[in-house]
Each structure stands twice: as structure tokens, then as C-alpha cells.
Amino acid sequence: TGEMFVITAGPVDPEAVLLIENLRSFMAFADSQHVNTVLGIVSYGYGLTMQNFATNLYAGKVTACPSRGERPDLKKLIETKPVLLWGDLDQEGLRIFESLRRDIPNLSLSAAYAEMEKLASSHRH
């Protein structure tokens, strides 16, 4: 119930905030050109999940640990920037989205979902 930590990568004044469900996806994001304009956030262990991220953030329990860039003001960015979720295309990923959306009403699904849907559809035929 104490302080919790998220790993971040990107600028302190990004165009958007990208909440990322998986560490592996976060690492791919951190190595991409998108890290120059978008702030990526991943939770990793110790009782903090992407599903309860917003609740703990608004309770003042979340600290950003930058892997790239400076420490951002997460609460301010969540309240003022477009917020997207990049997670698994499964029931749990959608459950995480619904949970986060209760505290972050402007949350949208990442455009990565459209690409995943195309790939999934092309493998069915």
C-alpha cells in the first residue's frame, strides 16, 4: 500500500501518453522513434498493474522511474494529454481498458489494435 513505481520512456511534455500492458511491448516502444514524441508508461510488479494504475495514481502512490528522458508529472499528463492503451488483444486486455476508463474517461485504444486486428484477420484465411 506504499509507493508504487512505473517505468517511463519519452519526453516530459509529450503529444500523448501511451499506457503499455507488457514490458516487452514497452521495450519495443522505447527503441522506436515514437519515444521522441509520446510518453510510454508500463507498470511492473509489486502490486501495481495497468488495471489499477489510475486508482493508485490519483491516490498519490505512483512514482515515474524514467528509463529514457526526465521524470514526468504523470497525473498532469493523464489529465491534459490524449491517453492511449496498448495492450493484448484478448479479454484481459479489454478488461484493463474498461477498468482504466473509469478513472481516465478520455482513454482510447491505441492504433496498434487496428494493426493487430488486420494481422489476426489475415491469418484466418
Side-chain angles (χ1 to χ4, degrees), residues 9-16 29-40 68:
V12 293
D13 187 22
E15 293 175 9
F29 166 81
D31 288 337
S32 76
Q33 80 271 9
H34 301 292
V35 76
N36 297 316
T37 57
V38 174
L39 178 71
R68 256 182 102 167

Side-chain angles (χ1 to χ4, degrees), residues 63-84:
T63 298
C65 297
S67 66
R68 256 182 102 167
E70 298 176 35
R71 180 169 287 142
D73 181 339
L74 296 178
K75 188 174 178 216
K76 177 183 173 192
L77 293 175
I78 295 293
E79 293 174 343
T80 61
K81 300 290 182 173
V83 182
L84 307 163

